Amino acid sequence: MHHAPDGRPPALTQLSEEERLFRDTVRRFALDRIRPHVREMDEQSKFHPALLGELFALGLMGIEIPEQYGGQGGSFFQAVLAVEALSSVDPSAGVIVDVQNTIVNNAILRWGSEDQKQRYLPRLAADTVGAYALSEPGSGSDAFSLSTRAQDCGGHFSLTGQKLWITNAAEAGLFVLFANARPEDGYRGITCFLVERDSPGFRVGKKEDKLGIRASSTCELILDGACVPRHNVLGEVGKGYKVAIETLNEGRIAIGAQMVGLASGALGHALAYARQRKQFGKTISEFQGVQFDLARMATDIEAARLLVYNAARLKDAGAPFLAEAAMAKYFASLVAERAASQAVEIHGGVGFTKDYPVEKLYRDAKIGSIYEGTTNIQLTTIARQLLEK
Ligand SMILES: Cc1cc2nc3c(=O)[nH]c(=O)nc-3n(C[C@H](O)[C@H](O)[C@H](O)COP(=O)(O)OP(=O)(O)OC[C@H]3O[C@@H](n4cnc5c(N)ncnc54)[C@H](O)[C@@H]3O)c2cc1C
């Protein structure tokens, strides 16, 4: 970060040289390598395995993992920049990188023992996709009412239950998974486990057929007496609720970044189309009505980006960021939906077809107000902070 000579902090959108180079590299990769496959991956509901390999090779699956474990030793803010840049081209690519970095890797960095870090971080940086399994059929917003049980068998735990909606599950080799080891203690029994895909009694079930972010896999998990060694408890038994809350608080900033990226992608398409489409003998960008739409979109996006960047910078600075993160995610998801919808309208009829990329962004935008806490849950967090002061 460049501080002004008199020590004033820089503007939020002012990037350090390293951040700018990093963002530009991710942007280039997204445009050159991902863009040609976006439509096909959406239709086939599958992220190209070769592209996943390239995400690892570029270091984008281990951005904050320290170099000693094979990662990039970068910042949370860089992870946010990567998610934003990828999502402007494909929000599915954005969420794959988001879950890996801002939830899975961060949970292990923050709560893992040295042994767990040594066993898992190098793999997560090199070739192993991670997933985060909290939600269940009966517990979504009310996450702590989860009913997956963990029975203490001495050297290992035996996990039984079902998880639902798990991003990255089709590709993942490692699952950060929550189960209750002491149901009589309520949420104070929730425990976080590192579950390997080939654990006996564990399997990945049905894959969802979704409205948007179709190239990002979302699956159920089935645990039928899944055997997890005691040394794979992440943090302490009964402290899983803390792991869950804190990782999601951070993770939602990056969902905000995914939505900002999506919205700026939609604006880019709208601008390009408005400059070349002619009606009434003029390009439609010459009509003030269209110009005002574009100007409103750009203003919305700038405001959402400032919220996201501020929350991310606060997190990197070790300052409190709870309400700011919730505001960023709430507002950015609203802006993404609005911008994608407007981009479809600016395209007229062709915007409603699969020949142009905006209909997909419109479908992709809806997830922003649902996962990592619905809009109502973000508003609850913000209101609680207001009323506690
Ligand atoms: C594509 C996708 C990917 C996902 N990825 C993951 C993942 O990787 N890991 C994971 O663990 N989960 C994941 N989820 C689950 C996601 O986090 C939940 O769907 C979300 O938290 C909402 O839970 P629910 O679906 O049970 O809805 P519900 O909690 O049943 O909510 C239904 C409606 O009721 C409202 N509501 C609920 N409680 C309140 C309240 N107290 N006050 C006001 N309104 C309320 C909600 O806002 C919502 O509008 C994913 C979901 C999807 C769709």
Side-chain angles (χ1 to χ4, degrees):
M1 274 279 94
H2 300 294
H3 282 257
D6 62 1
R8 276 178 293 133
L12 277 175
T13 49
Q14 197 180 329
L15 304 186
S16 71
E17 185 64 12
E18 192 190 353
E19 289 167 347
R20 198 176 49 75
L21 284 172
F22 176 78
R23 187 209 43 202
D24 292 349
T25 306
V26 182
R27 228 181 228 174
R28 254 303 31 99
F29 170 74
L31 289 171
D32 295 348
R33 300 290 306 140
I34 298 182
R35 187 168 55 179
H37 303 285
V38 171
R39 184 170 170 190
E40 157 215 331
M41 295 195 300
D42 180 59
E43 282 169 2
Q44 296 178 355
S45 272
K46 188 169 164 51
F47 199 74
H48 223 304
L51 288 179
L52 207 49
E54 291 184 43
L55 290 174
F56 278 107
L58 265 178
L60 297 182
M61 298 297 263
I63 297 169
E64 284 179 86
I65 294 179
E67 286 168 18
Q68 70 188 101
Y69 302 110
Q72 299 299 302
S75 62
F76 181 78
F77 189 78
Q78 279 177 306
V80 156
L81 288 177
V83 171
E84 181 189 353
L86 291 169
S87 301
S88 68
V89 172
D90 185 9
S92 288
V95 75
I96 292 170
V97 166
D98 166 272
V99 168
Q100 180 91 1
N101 286 281
T102 72
I103 313 192
V104 174
N105 295 349
N106 270 351
I108 298 174
L109 277 170
R110 170 98 204 257
W111 303 90
S113 64
E114 189 49 44
D115 166 60
Q116 289 167 341
K117 289 181 186 171
Q118 283 180 12
R119 279 191 290 132
Y120 291 115
L121 292 178
R123 286 173 55 190
L124 288 161
D127 56 14
T128 303
V129 174
Y132 179 89
L134 178 64
S135 303
E136 299 183 358
S139 68
S141 301
D142 186 12
F144 292 167
S145 67
L146 61 86
S147 63
T148 298
R149 295 291 176 251
Q151 198 189 344
D152 190 341
C153 303
H156 74 277
F157 283 82
S158 173
L159 273 53
T160 301
Q162 183 195 3
K163 294 288 171 186
L164 207 61
W165 314 116
I166 308 310
T167 299
N168 286 354
E171 301 82 11
L174 184 70
F175 297 79
V176 172
L177 188 146
F178 297 84
N180 200 320
R182 291 194 300 252
E184 65 281 9
D185 291 347
Y187 74 91
R188 291 179 183 277
I190 294 174
T191 305
C192 184
F193 296 90
L194 297 172
V195 182
E196 302 215 18
R197 191 187 186 95
D198 59 4
S199 306
F202 174 84
R203 73 185 169 88
V204 176
K206 177 176 162 267
K207 184 168 142 183
E208 304 295 339
D209 186 4
K210 308 194 297 294
L211 171 72
I213 57 163
R214 292 174 57 80
S216 151
S217 68
T218 313
C219 310
E220 72 168 338
L221 307 178
I222 295 145
L223 300 110
D224 185 8
C227 181
V228 182
R230 178 172 286 276
H231 62 245
N232 273 21
V233 170
L234 186 66
E236 288 170 46
V237 173
K239 292 282 170 60
Y241 72 95
K242 277 194 149 189
V243 180
I245 292 178
E246 293 191 14
T247 43
L248 288 176
N249 285 345
E250 293 174 17
R252 62 182 51 137
I253 303 174
I255 297 300
Q258 182 197 27
M259 292 295 120
V260 169
L262 188 159
S264 61
L267 175 60
H269 294 303
L271 281 167
Y273 189 78
R275 282 201 186 100
Q276 55 96 3
R277 172 68 176 169
K278 283 201 169 117
Q279 287 293 283
F280 302 98
K282 295 174 174 174
T283 63
I284 60 169
S285 63
E286 291 175 74
F287 299 122
Q288 197 175 47
V290 173
Q291 290 173 1
F292 284 3
D293 284 340
L294 294 167
R296 276 193 205 98
M297 285 162 82
T299 307
D300 268 358
I301 293 166
E302 182 72 1
R305 183 177 284 123
L306 292 175
L307 285 174
V308 169
Y309 284 12
N310 185 49
R313 297 269 196 222
L314 286 171
K315 198 244 159 240
D316 274 336
F321 60 86
L322 182 63
E324 289 83 354
M327 288 173 181
K329 197 256 189 193
Y330 154 64
F331 188 71
S333 61
L334 201 88
V335 163
E337 227 179 301
R338 207 148 62 194
S341 172
Q342 197 64 61
V344 170
E345 271 182 60
I346 288 175
H347 280 71
V350 297
F352 204 62
T353 72
K354 291 192 188 294
D355 294 336
Y356 283 76
V358 284
E359 68 83 30
K360 175 182 173 293
L361 293 176
Y362 182 57
R363 287 186 283 111
D364 287 350
K366 193 66 229 180
I367 193 58
S369 51
I370 298 173
Y371 61 13
E372 293 203 27
T374 64
T375 283
N376 279 358
I377 296 304
Q378 308 308 324
L379 294 173
T380 304
T381 301
I382 298 162
R384 194 182 297 132
Q385 292 268 306
L386 287 175
L387 295 166
E388 271 172 9
K389 276 181 188 153

